[in-house]
Amino acid sequence: MAKDYYEVLGVARNATKEEIKKAYRSLAHKYHPDKGGNEARFKEINEAYQILSDERARAQFDQFGSVFEGAGARSQAGFEWPGGFRMDFGEGGFAPGDARGFADFDFSDVFEDFLGGGRARRGTGDRGRDLRAALEISFEESVMGAKKEIAVMRISRCGRCAGSGAEPGTKMKTCPTCEGKGNIQKTQRTFLGSFTSVSACPECLGVGKRPETPCAQCRGRGAEQKTEQLEVFVPRGIREGEVLKITGKGDASVAGKAPGDLYIEIRVLPHRVFRRQGDDIVMAYAVRMSQAILGDAAEVGTLDGAIRLKIPEGTQSGDILRVRGKGAWRASGYGRGDLLIEIRVEVPKRLSRRAKDTVRSLAEEGF
């Protein structure tokens, strides 16, 4: 008895392409063997979608209850673009002024396979996915550099099967879906001709082989998700928002290809005393009126420890005293900026009678 593909996907016979696609994605996610689903049911869902997503095949199914074997025949004339996309011309293909019922064809399905969505699906057969994380460091660590640890949840190679996906001691077999090719082709007819896209096989994820007995730990995927503690070397002089790349510490590839990379965005916590200005470090320093008027030498704390700072006679509030080579390390790693000390002359809120008399005497002198 012929299958009712509409019933397989659980959609009405007048369902739109978007409704069919939505139903397929939901069921494929639910019954995918790698997620513990029913393999036979998953294949049946794939078969139904292949028919109902193709206008010509769907029309034949609606009329005859089945699809003719030659329905998908295509002319070999045409050309192929990089990425497995092919456009065919010839018999039944495009002819000037001949749209033949394709006027309302939705090209989004075609272009999604080899532009946007197609890349995401084929990604399962390529290198692992890149990951992003954020790392908070102190102001001192951003200037001087540091060694930090970060916890990252990533897909890594299964420790039980060493990434093969097969239970230890068992063999691999040729994938029946793609017949060992690692990819499947999908062809759609348009008034421009035939569009053929090539994507990674959803059964073997582009490998071409499947385990006879899936690994009990990773269920045949060859990889598992776990939290890993990674050591990160923060270079001195790094700035807020800069990104560190750790090669090979993204998700592992479920197809056995190279793993992705980990990108770590640096977030620098504010300091109560210091702030950064390019490669220089700026700080405010309060001095007494007597120090500003007469000059003095004071001990000032910096990121490198305490230093002796000479306060010139007649220093004004807002003056900047520059200490060479005590700023942040430059991005090149050679040399440092300066420490800029902004002077703030403190005016006392309360004065003794004697102090007031002294100030009055100074006022009479023109101060």
Side-chain angles (χ1 to χ4, degrees):
M1 183 176 179
K3 296 178 183 177
D4 186 340
Y5 293 125
Y6 292 101
E7 186 176 325
V8 170
L9 294 183
V11 297
R13 300 189 72 84
N14 61 349
T16 64
K17 284 187 176 182
E18 286 304 314
E19 289 172 337
I20 291 172
K21 184 186 296 183
K22 183 176 180 181
Y24 164 72
R25 287 176 175 172
S26 176
L27 292 171
H29 180 79
K30 179 179 179 181
Y31 290 101
H32 199 290
D34 290 340
K35 300 181 181 295
N38 185 301
E39 183 173 355
R41 176 78 168 122
F42 179 74
K43 290 182 177 180
E44 188 178 45
I45 292 166
N46 266 313
E47 180 184 346
Y49 180 67
Q50 292 298 322
I51 298 301
L52 297 185
S53 63
D54 184 288
E55 286 195 351
R56 186 178 182 188
R58 181 180 179 180
Q60 288 187 3
F61 177 74
D62 288 343
Q63 185 173 359
F64 303 105
S66 61
V67 179
F68 297 130
E69 200 170 311
R74 297 290 186 265
S75 168
Q76 295 302 308
F79 59 89
E80 186 167 339
W81 292 341
F85 173 73
R86 179 177 176 84
M87 185 170 182
D88 296 318
F89 298 98
E91 183 181 352
F94 173 74
D98 179 14
R100 281 208 290 265
F102 291 108
D104 59 347
F105 188 85
D106 184 1
F107 283 96
S108 63
D109 287 343
V110 176
F111 294 121
E112 181 183 9
D113 285 336
F114 69 95
L115 292 178
R119 275 200 298 269
R121 287 190 289 273
R122 289 197 298 273
T124 56
D126 298 331
R127 64 189 292 273
R129 184 182 60 170
D130 293 335
L131 298 180
R132 290 190 173 272
L135 176 63
E136 284 189 346
I137 61 174
S138 66
F139 184 87
E140 293 91 331
E141 290 170 332
S142 74
V143 174
M144 300 298 184
K147 184 168 67 174
K148 306 284 288 183
E149 279 198 350
I150 184 172
V152 178
M153 181 173 287
R154 57 187 293 263
I155 296 174
S156 56
R157 181 170 293 186
C158 175
R160 180 178 177 84
C161 66
S164 69
E167 186 69 15
T170 62
K171 298 180 179 180
M172 301 290 287
K173 64 178 181 180
T174 301
C175 176
T177 302
C178 65
E179 298 179 342
K181 297 176 183 177
N183 58 65
I184 55 175
Q185 294 187 1
K186 178 181 177 182
T187 302
Q188 288 186 309
R189 293 284 302 275
T190 76
F191 67 88
L192 292 175
S194 300
F195 291 87
T196 300
S197 62
V198 180
S199 59
C201 174
E203 294 291 328
C204 66
L205 303 177
V207 178
K209 294 183 178 181
R210 295 196 63 192
E212 288 184 347
T213 305
C215 172
Q217 185 166 311
C218 66
R219 294 185 298 181
R221 291 179 63 87
E224 55 185 343
Q225 190 173 52
K226 61 182 181 180
T227 300
E228 186 174 340
Q229 291 290 132
L230 300 176
E231 194 171 59
V232 180
F233 292 92
V234 179
R236 57 191 184 183
I238 198 165
R239 299 170 185 265
E240 166 77 21
E242 288 190 15
V243 176
L244 299 177
K245 176 184 176 182
I246 303 182
T247 303
K249 289 301 181 180
D251 281 345
S253 169
V254 294
K257 304 291 180 65
D261 301 324
L262 173 63
Y263 293 88
I264 303 176
E265 181 181 353
I266 296 298
R267 296 176 183 172
V268 181
L269 297 173
H271 197 281
R272 62 183 183 86
V273 175
F274 306 105
R275 63 182 174 86
R276 188 160 174 171
Q277 182 177 291
D279 291 326
D280 296 329
I281 293 176
V282 182
M283 66 172 289
Y285 185 72
V287 300
R288 299 189 304 275
M289 289 184 65
S290 59
Q291 290 177 300
I293 294 171
L294 302 175
D296 196 5
E299 189 175 87
V300 178
T302 73
L303 294 179
D304 296 277
I307 63 171
R308 293 290 290 177
L309 176 68
K310 182 180 179 181
I311 303 171
E313 183 179 322
T315 296
Q316 304 293 310
S317 189
D319 282 356
I320 302 293
L321 302 182
R322 184 183 295 269
V323 182
R324 302 285 181 182
K326 295 296 182 181
W329 286 91
R330 295 190 172 91
S332 63
Y334 298 99
R336 297 174 64 175
D338 300 330
L339 174 63
L340 307 180
I341 303 177
E342 182 181 354
I343 297 298
R344 295 180 182 175
V345 179
E346 288 187 330
V347 178
K349 294 183 178 180
R350 293 183 179 181
L351 292 174
S352 66
R353 181 177 296 178
R354 181 181 175 184
K356 287 182 179 179
D357 290 341
T358 301
V359 172
R360 290 190 184 98
S361 298
L362 291 172
E364 291 173 0
E365 293 289 335
F367 285 93

